[in-house]
Amino acid sequence: WLERLSAGTALLHGWARAGDARLLDAVEAVLRQSPPHGMVTPGGQAMSVATSSCGDWGWVSDRRGYRYSAVDPDSGQAWPTMPDPLRELARGAAAEAGFAGFDPDACLINCYLPGARMGLHQDKDERDFSAPIVSVSLGLPAVFLLGGLRRSDKTARILLGHGDVLVWGGPDRMRFHGVQPVQPGIHPLLGERRINLTFRKAR
Ligand code: MD5
Ligand code: FE
């Protein structure tokens, strides 16, 4: 069911559950082609989340900064094509939340093992902030922190479970957000992992 968290944010509970096995197969195929690995922030901090991407653009971070790249810096090759089941999921969820016509050109794949987290940040490396962002949670649950437009704004805690999909757009697109450390556990389909797919219009 669709829960409207605020004007521009919708939580589609369990939206991705129905096709989860096919979805995971497609994700695993991407990860075999472009294996996930930890990145470093421009400040030199190691990130605890391992990332990969598919689609025309992939989000990367290193000492030079955050940016979108057309190639996987590991292999020097183009990122894997965005599989149809992923694209269709993102388009369908966006439309359900009121963003018909969403056409993502980047899908970031964040892989969390127990203990991995993501600090409070804004997503601002995209060219056009009018497009929404669609985030799909798979595997182990995580507590998502949803803040406001200033870093110091208080944050709400949202539990995201397997198959939950969040859509952010309009006034909520630039909110600060983060993920608390993933707790140990075993998910029946993914094992000891959380995978988050983040679909964006990068360019
Ligand atoms: C995650 N990933 O669970 C999250 C899901 C990232 C990231 O934050 O940058 O890779 S995407 C959450 C998101 C995106 C855009 C806006 C907002 C949240 N928001 O306004 O809260 O791995
Ligand atoms: Fe983010």
Side-chain angles (χ1 to χ4, degrees):
W1 76 100
L2 184 151
E3 180 182 0
R4 205 155 273 294
L5 300 179
S6 62
T9 308
L11 172 50
L12 304 171
H13 291 269
W15 178 267
R17 267 180 192 248
D20 61 358
R22 201 163 86 96
L23 193 63
L24 185 64
D25 281 348
V27 171
E28 299 281 24
V30 168
L31 296 180
R32 280 192 297 275
Q33 228 181 301
S34 275
H37 56 82
M39 293 207 241
V40 176
T41 67
Q45 291 271 84
M47 297 186 190
S48 57
V49 177
T51 67
S52 180
S53 286
C54 59
D56 292 342
W57 300 97
W59 184 87
V60 299
S61 175
D62 59 23
R63 294 303 299 240
R64 288 163 48 208
Y66 304 121
R67 66 190 171 279
Y68 281 94
S69 167
V71 296
D72 178 349
D74 256 17
S75 64
Q77 304 288 307
W79 297 101
T81 303
M82 192 184 299
D84 285 337
L86 273 67
R87 181 186 303 279
E88 290 312 315
L89 174 69
R91 289 181 61 82
E96 183 74 8
F99 296 96
F102 178 49
D103 183 25
D105 58 8
C107 173
L108 176 65
I109 304 172
N110 288 144
C111 302
Y112 295 74
L113 296 178
R117 59 184 286 277
M118 193 174 284
L120 216 56
H121 67 278
Q122 290 173 301
D123 290 12
K124 51 186 180 187
D125 301 317
E126 298 72 31
R127 189 162 289 169
D128 175 6
F129 297 143
S130 69
I133 290 183
V134 174
S135 148
V136 179
S137 291
L138 299 171
L140 292 178
V143 175
F144 185 79
L145 298 171
L146 180 57
L149 296 177
R150 291 169 307 183
R151 183 178 290 278
S152 57
D153 289 343
K154 77 170 183 5
T155 55
R157 284 168 171 69
I158 301 166
L159 185 67
L160 295 180
H162 177 70
D164 287 345
V165 179
L166 269 162
V167 181
W168 283 274
D172 293 323
R173 168 70 179 71
M174 298 309 287
R175 284 188 186 224
F176 278 87
H177 56 278
V179 179
Q180 288 194 340
V182 170
Q183 297 303 118
I186 306 286
H187 183 272
L189 191 61
L190 281 91
E192 202 175 31
R193 286 184 295 174
R194 169 179 193 252
I195 293 181
N196 182 271
L197 310 174
T198 303
F199 296 89
R200 302 188 175 92
K201 184 79 182 165
R203 296 303 176 97

